[in-house]
Amino acid sequence: MSDYDKEIEYKSSKPNLVRDIDDSTMAIIIKSKKWGLVEIIIDREDYPRVKPFRWYLNGFARMPYAAADLPRANSSDRYLILMHRLITSFEWRLVDHANRNTFDNRKTNLRESSSRLPKTLILGMPSSRLLL
């Protein structure tokens, strides 16, 4: 069983807890076996967009991202959606976290990336390990 499958099993059907940070910012709380208790920071205005989904951490490469599963029409399969892509309305092909913190999904921290790989994955990785 892969780590992804184990994390999916660990999810509960209960909605994610939330915490107010200030007037414009809040946190979605995610409990993960691998990463522990994590707060994903979002702008308050984006909460209605992310609220309908059950969020969990999906570890791409070395960095965990907030993810949710969406059912496909007429199928038992599911789509994987990343919170930062939902917040940016899928306007950009690649999204980068400016401060390299994948738990910070405020719009001021999200930017379009021109690289094939998000900078959060490239920085700190030896050039011999990059597959471009």
Side-chain angles (χ1 to χ4, degrees), residues 74-114:
N74 303 320
S75 174
S76 62
D77 292 340
R78 297 188 167 280
Y79 288 110
L80 173 78
I81 183 171
L82 299 175
M83 186 184 290
H84 63 273
R85 301 275 298 150
L86 179 66
I87 288 172
T88 59
S89 301
F90 305 96
E91 292 174 21
W92 304 323
R93 188 162 180 262
L94 296 171
V95 179
D96 180 42
H97 292 80
N99 67 4
R100 300 184 201 141
N101 180 356
T102 59
F103 300 155
D104 186 350
N105 286 321
R106 294 173 294 167
K107 285 190 186 97
T108 57
N109 188 47
L110 302 176
R111 62 185 177 190
E112 186 172 15
S113 176
S114 58

Side-chain angles (χ1 to χ4, degrees), residues 45-58:
E45 67 186 37
D46 292 322
Y47 183 63
R49 182 175 284 171
V50 302
K51 181 182 178 183
F53 305 105
R54 174 66 183 160
W55 296 99
Y56 62 94
L57 294 180
N58 187 318

